[in-house]
Amino acid sequence: MKDQFIVSGGARLEGTVKVDGAKNSVLKLMAASLLAEGTTTLTNCPEILDVPLMKKVLEGLGCEVVIEGSEVRITTPAQPQSNADFDAVRQFRASVCVLGPLTSRCGHAKVALPGGDAIGSRPLDMHQTGLEKLGATTRIEHGAVVAEATHLRGANIRLDFPSVGATENILTAAVLAEGETVLHNAAREPEIVDLCTMLKSMGADIEGEGSSVVTIRGVDKLQPTQHEVIGDRIVAGTWAYAAAMTQGDITVGGISPRHLHLPLEKLKSAGAELETYENGFRVRMDQRPQAVDYQTLPFPGFPTDLQPMAIGISAIADGTTVITENVFESRFRFVDEMLRLGADAQVDGHHVVVRGKERLSSTHVWSSDIRAGAGLVLSALCADETTTVHDVFHIDRGYPNFVENLQRLGATIERTQEEELF
């Protein structure tokens, strides 16, 4: 039987919460361990479902993986396997990040086309084009992407869009390629910088990470390393919006506020009081939020992963909000569940217009992806009675101890097993 969350509305969230390592970083760092023979150790890893899923992928490639709390140790053999297990890979999108390391290290990679969240198509065209510029041949066959290369050489590569996944796969392929690679219009996310920091500690020669132009000079060999995963800015941003939506007061630790500059500024514009520290921030809201417009963009723009939280706060804000989604075309399916909660929202292409009301109405809602699930829980805290959130396994993939943290902050929420509704 699947789990569900029973959420009672009306609580004001108050207290302190510390975020763990970033989901969008740890999985890519685990994949990067394939680049060096020996044992790589990652610390500050989040205890989420996707980490053991990536463990299964790496074990299928011949690695030994040990997870002990927030520490993950990966021992990579001298010659990894190059076929990523179909059953493991298809369960989550991040598994495609083994494509670059396997192509670089083994000269061959076969990775099943990945699954994951239902937020729209995320084709591998730019991944393939980048690898082909480096000298690989690629094709899609029998539900898998295949890359082969006898010798990778540096190249000038320009991405049509600053794709995080394509940037990661090109980086991890180029670090062992002959010569210099210059990647233009690269993704600038903090998770990209974290990956480059780890690769450099392994012996890679990289410059420009965090900017739109990254230069990689290939080296002959990399060494295993130990690396601490950066804090999860999306989880931290979720807690920030939880404070504002419940007219609460939450201090968040374990995260650089620079990684959330625009989302925190949006909360200030909505009426929240904000204090920032070197490794955290505090959000306090004493009145109903004011409506603020949003548009999602690659970093340093407003993160698409916080779009459900933007819709959630807009649904109970004073005024009308226009939210524009520029990254994933299907992320607005979350709006259908918000309508169940009584939100006044209308989708028009890649825009949604939300007219705020003082309180939502409780009901049954269903998570379609990690962030939508978290957004539904926060919105349920703003409803009149008790809401049941289904398919919460999505939330468990990205939020460690989500229920326990909410309870400590004052929410009335419990995890139960689902019963037949009809």
Side-chain angles (χ1 to χ4, degrees), residues 13 20 27 44 50 54 69 71 105 112 141 195 212 218 223 229 286 288 300 303 305 323 354 364 371 395 416 421:
L13 301 189
D20 297 307
L27 305 176
N44 193 39
D50 276 10
M54 181 58 82
E71 182 175 287
R105 182 93 191 281
E141 65 177 21
L195 173 61
S212 59
Q223 303 296 327
V229 184
D286 292 325
R288 185 180 175 193
D305 279 355
I323 300 165
V354 184
H364 289 265
R371 311 307 172 185
I395 302 172
T416 66
L421 293 179

Side-chain angles (χ1 to χ4, degrees), residues 232-242 252 260 263 267 281 306 309:
D232 196 315
R233 63 192 172 100
I234 304 303
V235 173
T238 301
W239 296 125
Y241 277 75
V252 182
L260 281 168
L267 290 181
F281 58 85
L306 288 179
M309 291 65 181

Side-chain angles (χ1 to χ4, degrees), residues 233-310:
R233 63 192 172 100
I234 304 303
V235 173
T238 301
W239 296 125
Y241 277 75
M245 290 173 66
T246 64
Q247 298 180 34
D249 185 353
I250 299 177
T251 298
V252 182
I255 183 70
S256 170
R258 297 189 304 276
H259 296 168
L260 281 168
H261 175 74
L262 187 54
L264 293 177
E265 286 299 310
K266 289 289 186 180
L267 290 181
K268 284 179 64 177
S269 298
E273 297 178 21
L274 174 66
E275 298 177 28
T276 59
Y277 317 108
E278 181 178 355
N279 197 36
F281 58 85
R282 178 186 179 188
V283 174
R284 178 187 176 96
M285 179 74 86
D286 292 325
Q287 68 280 331
R288 185 180 175 193
Q290 297 298 305
V292 178
D293 289 342
Y294 298 85
Q295 60 172 327
T296 67
L297 288 167
F299 189 85
F302 191 88
T304 183
D305 279 355
L306 288 179
Q307 185 239 82
M309 291 65 181

Side-chain angles (χ1 to χ4, degrees), residues 30 46-47 51-53 55 65-73:
M30 291 176 70
E47 296 182 43
V51 170
L53 285 176
K55 172 181 184 287
V65 184
V66 177
I67 301 175
E68 292 184 349
S70 63
E71 182 175 287
V72 177
R73 296 188 300 277

